Amino acid sequence: MASEITVDPGGPLRGELRVPGDKSISHRALICNALASGEAEIRGLLDSADCRSTMACLHQWGVEFEEHGDTVVVRSPGQDEFHPPADELDCGNSGTSIRLLSGVAAGLPFRSHFDGDESLRQRPMRRVLDPLASMGSAVDSRSTAPYWVDGSAGLTRGFDGEIAVASAQVKSCIIFAALRAGESSRIVEPGPSRDHTERILGAMGADIDIDGPTIRIHPGATLSAQDVEVPADISAAAYWMIAAAMTPGSELSLPGVGVNPRRSGVIDVLKSMGATVELQNLRDVSGEPVADIRVRGASLHGTRIDGDLIVTALDELPALAVAAAVADGVTEIHDAEELRVKESDRIATTTAMLTAMGISVEDWSDGMRIVGGRLRGASVDSHGDHRLAMSAAVAALASEPESGPTTIRRASAVDISYPTFWRDLDRLRHVPV
Ligand code: S3P
C-alpha cells in the first residue's frame, strides 16, 4: 500500500452526495443469506475489499454470487450443505468477516482455518473463540489469527451470560453459533452495539427475542432468503458530515443514509458541538431506519464523548477528533479503549496525526483530550487504516489555507470501506460555492 495523496485546504462543502452502501449491513446481508437455502438479491451492496473478503470466504463453503452492477444475487445451498473449504479463509483486513464467520464455522461439521493481513493478525480473537468453546466448539488455542474453528463435535450448549465487550462483532459471532446450538441462548450486551444481525435474522424467520440488553435465541428455525436494500453507510457519510459541519458556509445533503440509533452517535456528538444536522424523509428500508441528512456548517465548540455514545459513534471517533481539533475549547473522549484494537491503535494514530498537524492532544489509555486550535498541513500516515486515511483528508480540508497541503501516505487504505472516497472528495470540492 504505497499510495500517497495530497489534499489542499478547502472551503465550504456544497451539494448532494450519495455515499456507498453500509459496510456492516452488506456483510450481514451476504452472511445471513448464505445461511438460508435459496436465492436473495442484495441491492446497493458495498463493493469494497472487506465485503469481497466475506464473499470469498463464503464461496469456499459453497455459496455462489452473481453480480449485476451494485446488485449481487446470493445463491446458497444453505448452511447444512456447506462443504469444507479447500483453502484457508482469508479475511484480509476485515474484523467483521473473521469474527462473524467464526460463529458460522462453529456450526459446521468440519475444520475451517482463518487468516488475515498483518493488521488483522494483531487483533484480539479470544473474545470470539472463548464463547464458541464454551458452547462446545473445538477452537484453536491461539489468541490471534491464523487460527481454526472446528464444529465437528456439535455445539452442545447454548451461550448464557454477558458478553465481555460491547462489540457487535462478538455478539453476532455468538448469535450465528446460537442458531445451531443444541440449547437456547441468552446473550446480555454490556452496551448498545449495532443490531443489524438481529434485525435481518428476525426478518428471515430466526427465533430471536430482544428485551432491552438481553437477546434470546432458540435454535432450529428455518431461515428464508431475504432480499435486502442496503442503505448508504453512515460511517462513510460521517466524513462529509463532519467536514461540512466544521466549515461555516457549507450546505450538504446526503440522501438515503442508514440512521439506526445504534450507529448515529456521530449526529448526536456533532449536535452537542453546535452543528446543524437535520434528518429528513425518515423511512424504513429493509428493516433499517433511513433518512436524508442535511448538514450546515457552523463554528463548533468542544464536548465530552463517553459511555454509550462511544459505542454508537465508535468508527467515527477519529473523524470526530478532527472536528474537535478546530472546535472552540477542549474535547474529552473517555471509555474508548476499544479504539486501541481496531485496524490500527486509533488512539495512538489519531493523536499522532493531529499532533503532526499542530494540535495539542493528550492521549490516555481510554481516550484523548484535544485542545481546539488551528490545523496546519503536514505529512501524515494512515498506518494502513482506512478510517485514518479519510479522517486525515477531513483534517486537510479544514487546515489553515496558508499552511499548505497535507500529504497522506498509504491513502489507498480507503479501499477497505470506501473505494470511491478520493473521487467523491474531488467531486465535492468542485461544486461551485
Ligand atoms: C462492526 C462492529 C464494530 C465496528 C466495525 C464493524 C460490525 O466493531 O468497529 O467497524 O460490522 O459488526 P466491534 O463490534 O468489534 O466493536
Side-chain angles (χ1 to χ4, degrees), residues 1-22:
M1 218 187 282
S3 62
E4 202 171 275
I5 278 193
T6 298
V7 181
D8 286 320
L13 292 184
R14 298 248 172 136
E16 179 175 301
L17 180 73
R18 165 96 196 183
V19 301
D22 187 278

Side-chain angles (χ1 to χ4, degrees), residues 230-403:
V230 180
D233 194 336
I234 191 168
S235 298
Y239 299 101
W240 311 123
M241 283 168 60
I242 293 169
M246 64 206 261
T247 316
S250 293
E251 186 135 8
L252 191 64
S253 295
L254 300 152
V257 180
V259 288
N260 182 317
R262 293 179 176 216
R263 293 286 299 284
S264 57
V266 59
I267 297 175
D268 304 325
V269 175
L270 281 176
K271 283 183 172 169
S272 79
M273 297 177 84
T276 310
V277 184
E278 279 170 51
L279 301 191
Q280 298 174 336
N281 195 13
L282 195 62
R283 55 211 186 260
D284 177 286
V285 175
S286 295
E288 292 278 348
V290 166
D292 303 328
I293 299 181
R294 268 186 92 82
V295 188
R296 265 195 294 275
S299 292
L300 303 182
H301 51 77
T303 190
R304 185 183 167 95
I305 315 173
D306 60 6
D308 285 353
L309 258 185
I310 294 294
V311 187
T312 58
L314 191 60
D315 291 340
E316 292 67 67
L317 291 170
L320 284 168
V322 175
V326 298
D328 194 20
V330 172
T331 294
E332 290 200 356
I333 303 176
H334 291 276
D335 307 323
E337 48 280 288
E338 274 296 300
L339 289 186
R340 295 231 177 250
V341 292
K342 293 293 175 189
E343 287 84 329
S344 68
D345 172 346
R346 288 184 179 157
I347 293 180
T349 51
T350 304
T351 301
M353 169 182 76
L354 292 179
T355 305
M357 297 183 77
I359 301 298
S360 164
V361 185
E362 198 183 317
D363 65 321
W364 51 71
S365 60
D366 74 336
M368 284 172 257
R369 179 177 190 274
I370 302 158
V371 182
R374 286 170 192 278
L375 284 160
R376 302 192 57 77
S379 170
V380 297
D381 189 1
S382 75
H383 298 270
D385 182 339
H386 55 132
R387 304 228 176 268
L388 254 292
M390 294 186 276
S391 301
V394 174
L397 284 177
S399 60
E400 293 295 305
E402 76 289 353
S403 69

Side-chain angles (χ1 to χ4, degrees), residues 22-25 27-28 50 95-97 99-100 123 127 165-172 193-194 196-197 235 263 311 314-316 338-339 341-343 346 386-387:
D22 187 278
K23 177 158 82 72
S24 292
I25 297 174
H27 281 295
R28 284 152 173 90
D50 267 15
T96 306
S97 307
R99 294 199 177 109
L100 271 57
R123 298 181 65 185
R127 54 180 59 195
V165 265
S167 157
Q169 293 179 351
V170 174
K171 173 178 66 175
S172 302
S193 74
R194 61 198 71 193
H196 311 300
T197 305
S235 298
R263 293 286 299 284
V311 187
L314 191 60
D315 291 340
E316 292 67 67
E338 274 296 300
L339 289 186
V341 292
K342 293 293 175 189
E343 287 84 329
R346 288 184 179 157
H386 55 132
R387 304 228 176 268

